[in-house]
Amino acid sequence: KDESMFGKLYKYSDPEYYKAHRTYHVYTPEHHYVYKAIAAYTAAVDGFTYTMGFGSDEAFLDFIEQTKYASWFDSDTEVSADSKIITLSTCLGNNDDDYRNVLILVRESEITEESKTAKESEIVK
């Protein structure tokens, strides 16, 4: 409600905000991943968004299509059955506990020490 904990997800309803905030970097102790935003929308807490597992590749890809259909913006980022996704979710901030704003991200790449070194050598050339 105070815009902490993903409170600004509603801003993805503005296409300019999406254009400026497409990429997220996720750091773990062992990895540095780059994710791309593929969908943002308001979801019912008992709706398809909160599916915790997929019985098949087709079910996963159907989920992705549903998120893209519900999204406030269009994304041309490719998603396959092997893609890794993250869902960020937060309350609407208006005391409506039946809906959440969500952002779906798909992993685009991993930044490794080798890829950093290769990029740095390209810059030097």
Side-chain angles (χ1 to χ4, degrees):
K1 294 178 183 176
D2 64 0
E3 294 194 1
S4 62
M5 300 301 296
F6 314 127
K8 292 186 170 87
L9 294 185
Y10 71 91
K11 291 187 175 189
Y12 278 93
S13 62
D14 175 356
E16 294 305 312
Y17 187 84
Y18 162 67
K19 288 177 187 174
H21 299 89
R22 291 183 197 191
T23 304
Y24 282 75
H25 291 261
V26 176
Y27 298 90
T28 70
E30 295 85 22
H31 302 281
H32 174 185
Y33 297 114
V34 179
Y35 282 79
K36 290 279 186 152
I38 60 166
Y41 53 95
T42 300
V45 296
D46 59 353
F48 75 91
T49 298
Y50 297 100
T51 301
M52 298 307 287
F54 305 99
S56 66
D57 290 349
E58 292 78 22
F60 174 73
L61 293 173
D62 183 54
F63 169 82
I64 296 299
E65 286 305 311
Q66 289 180 66
T67 65
K68 288 185 171 191
Y69 180 77
S71 184
W72 295 319
F73 59 79
D74 292 324
S75 168
D76 60 358
T77 300
E78 294 292 325
V79 180
S80 73
D82 295 325
S83 294
K84 307 294 184 211
I85 63 170
I86 294 176
T87 302
L88 305 180
S89 174
T90 191
C91 63
L92 300 181
N94 63 1
N95 295 322
D96 185 347
D97 293 333
D98 295 329
Y99 294 90
R100 302 284 186 266
N101 286 329
V102 298
L103 176 65
I104 309 294
L105 305 164
V106 64
R107 187 183 301 165
E108 181 178 70
S109 63
E110 180 176 2
I111 296 176
T112 63
E113 288 304 317
E114 294 82 24
S115 65
K116 286 182 198 177
T117 304
K119 189 171 186 176
E120 288 168 359
S121 68
E122 287 177 19
I123 294 171
V124 172
K125 290 179 184 177

